[in-house]
Amino acid sequence: MVIFDKKQDLKRQLRETGKYMMQYDLAWGNSGNISAKTEENSFLITSSGTYLGDLDLEDFAECSIETGQGIGSGRKPSKEIPMHLAIYETRPEIGAVLHASPLYSTLVASSNIEIPSSWFVEGMYYLEKIERVPYAHPGSKELGELVREQAKKANILLLENHGVLVYDTSLKEAKMALQTLEMACRMLVISQKAGVHIQELSEEKVQSFLVDSGYKPRRKWEH
């Protein structure tokens, strides 16, 4: 009889997510780290120094949401734990956190360019709320606290001169949000360079889509 191991399955999902991010140019080199919450009060996060495109099932560390400390004697977790922990503590409904430095999204995060959400359907939903986080050194407690301040306001954070932080109820939704963000940023940069004006939908149509279209239930944001 085969016993289903939920944590092992979650590791497989994280491994596939890492491959997905590399395949679609959402991560590069050994930058970036990803995590997913277990059914217990803990989360699995990529180990320090891992390569997202070639993760093994042993390349994850389990950390407590209550203490932020590693559980067991496994691999050393990513130094970016403070960011991930801040999200899970602040947003109990969140199931997965993706941190990466995609080319176009990081370019925008390192500038003062605003990302329109009213260009296409997925953008209206996934990019409705985006917040910026001032630069702080990777892995620092300062960065974790800056992320905590913005976490309730949006599901996408632009980390200035660093990259992006995207989180959602599941790995599937987080991947879609990250890819949507990179597509919008790519469209933005290319259209500006080419002198192409992209027509935005009116605020009335955007609100109608979010409330009445039935595409997905509208997210609830802190006011």
Side-chain angles (χ1 to χ4, degrees), residues 45-48 61-63 69-70 74-81:
I45 187 170
T46 43
S47 302
S48 178
E62 185 174 4
C63 298
Q69 302 299 312
R75 297 280 300 275
K76 179 182 178 181
S78 166
K79 66 183 292 185
E80 298 279 27
I81 277 184

Side-chain angles (χ1 to χ4, degrees), residues 1-191:
M1 179 179 178
V2 178
I3 299 175
F4 180 68
D5 188 324
K6 292 184 178 180
K7 287 184 182 178
Q8 287 294 97
D9 182 62
L10 193 57
K11 289 179 180 180
R12 293 187 186 95
Q13 292 181 47
L14 284 163
R15 184 176 62 182
E16 291 305 310
T17 297
K19 290 180 180 179
Y20 176 94
M21 290 168 66
M22 284 293 182
Q23 179 182 355
Y24 291 100
D25 296 324
L26 301 175
W28 54 272
N30 64 355
S31 66
N33 36 81
I34 59 180
S35 70
K37 189 160 63 175
T38 67
E39 289 191 349
E40 291 100 19
N41 194 24
S42 66
F43 59 96
L44 296 172
I45 187 170
T46 43
S47 302
S48 178
T50 51
Y51 173 66
L52 293 183
D54 189 28
L55 292 170
D56 292 324
L57 294 182
E58 294 75 30
D59 287 336
F60 301 94
E62 185 174 4
C63 298
S64 167
I65 294 177
E66 291 183 350
T67 66
Q69 302 299 312
I71 298 175
S73 57
R75 297 280 300 275
K76 179 182 178 181
S78 166
K79 66 183 292 185
E80 298 279 27
I81 277 184
M83 289 198 305
H84 293 254
L85 184 62
I87 298 300
Y88 291 125
E89 288 181 330
T90 308
R91 299 281 301 279
E93 79 279 16
I94 294 300
V97 178
L98 309 180
H99 167 49
S101 303
L103 174 60
Y104 291 96
S105 300
T106 304
L107 190 157
V108 171
S110 302
S111 71
N112 59 1
I113 301 173
E114 295 297 325
I115 305 171
S117 64
S118 55
W119 283 353
F120 52 91
V121 169
E122 290 79 9
M124 285 189 285
Y125 178 74
Y126 287 106
L127 310 182
E128 181 188 4
K129 297 283 188 179
I130 298 174
E131 295 291 339
R132 286 182 174 270
V133 175
Y135 178 82
H137 295 326
S140 65
K141 290 183 179 180
E142 178 187 4
L143 180 55
E145 289 309 307
L146 289 170
V147 165
R148 187 186 305 277
E149 290 177 13
Q150 302 291 53
K152 288 185 178 180
K153 303 176 185 177
N155 275 26
I156 293 176
L157 302 182
L158 301 180
L159 308 177
E160 294 184 349
N161 302 93
H162 184 170
V164 298
L165 194 63
V166 178
Y167 39 96
D168 217 308
T169 54
S170 67
L171 282 166
K172 180 179 179 180
E173 286 293 285
K175 285 189 295 185
M176 178 60 74
L178 179 59
Q179 192 166 33
T180 300
L181 172 66
E182 180 68 357
M183 176 61 72
C185 290
R186 184 179 181 185
M187 289 175 62
L188 178 61
V189 173
I190 291 175
S191 65

